[in-house]
Amino acid sequence: MSMPSPETIASTLAQGFASTRRVPVLRRPDEYGLAHEDITFPSQDGTPLEGWFIPADSDKLVIANHPMPCNRYGYPGHLAQYATPFADFEINFLPDYRHLHDAGFNVLAHDLRNHGRSGAANGGLVGIGLLEYRDVIGSIRYGRDRLGIDNSRIALLSRCLGANSTIVALSRHPEEFQDCWRPS
């Protein structure tokens, strides 16, 4: 058996990062005793984003931005058709949302573009944050408007692709993050 060329390996890796396979949203907040609302709101560029708003009796909000290839729920790697050498187990973010809610935070968990149930954009390409930053900005705007709050009451829980997207958004549109909440 011959080894693939370095070019073949690089091309395969690049393709793996340039697009993602949509995975189903398998779990819902009500399975964890959380009341929620299914929501849709626009990204900064108008791409429709779908998610959950989990209300709490407060004016504090955590926005969850997920990793690739996950969605707002997580990743169903425990199912054979979605198992990969990197994730052959389930990733479930719902317990995190439960803890945040119990700590008094409203939670906004949404699917980034080209993931979960959110709209397709950019020809299905994943920009590793260079395109998805618009979704972070859309989620901040939605959260501010929804709760009638300023940025001092908003925190971001951004993982991997979500973190890259947040960093790009911070660098391109710092005004959107003016006075964001920072834990002391």
Side-chain angles (χ1 to χ4, degrees):
M1 174 188 249
S2 66
M3 283 290 293
S5 70
E7 293 81 12
T8 300
I9 292 170
S11 176
T12 301
L13 283 171
Q15 282 301 316
F17 284 112
S19 61
T20 189
R21 180 175 167 196
R22 286 186 190 253
V23 297
V25 177
L26 288 186
R27 304 198 186 285
R28 299 180 53 80
D30 53 359
E31 295 174 36
Y32 291 81
L34 295 167
H36 72 283
E37 179 183 334
D38 292 320
I39 57 170
T40 302
F41 60 91
S43 174
Q44 181 192 34
D45 66 2
T47 301
L49 305 175
E50 293 195 25
W52 299 313
F53 182 80
I54 303 169
D57 189 20
S58 81
D59 64 349
K60 298 181 294 186
L61 174 66
V62 172
I63 299 172
N65 297 294
H66 63 78
M68 177 183 171
C70 299
N71 57 44
R72 63 188 126 151
Y73 132 74
Y75 187 78
H78 62 298
L79 300 177
Q81 66 266 39
Y82 300 108
T84 72
F86 305 106
D88 61 352
F89 51 89
E90 182 178 30
I91 299 168
N92 181 359
F93 300 133
L94 276 294
D96 294 349
Y97 304 155
R98 176 84 228 182
H99 293 305
L100 289 164
H101 176 269
D102 290 351
F105 291 93
N106 295 283
V107 178
L108 171 57
H110 64 96
D111 299 329
L112 295 168
R113 65 186 59 218
N114 301 317
H115 290 80
R117 295 183 183 145
S118 283
N122 312 103
L125 290 177
V126 175
I128 311 299
L130 295 174
L131 304 168
E132 298 80 7
Y133 79 89
R134 300 168 183 140
D135 305 344
V136 173
I137 291 172
S139 69
I140 291 169
R141 289 176 178 174
Y142 176 83
R144 275 194 313 244
D145 293 347
R146 168 84 187 232
L147 292 174
I149 58 176
D150 63 21
N151 285 352
S152 70
R153 310 306 293 165
I154 297 174
L156 298 167
L157 173 61
S158 299
R159 297 170 167 130
C160 200
L161 173 60
N164 292 351
S165 304
T166 300
I167 291 166
V168 173
L170 276 162
S171 69
R172 291 192 180 182
H173 295 281
E175 72 282 359
E176 295 287 346
F177 296 85
Q178 190 76 27
D179 301 320
C180 269
W181 178 66
R182 289 172 176 79
S184 50

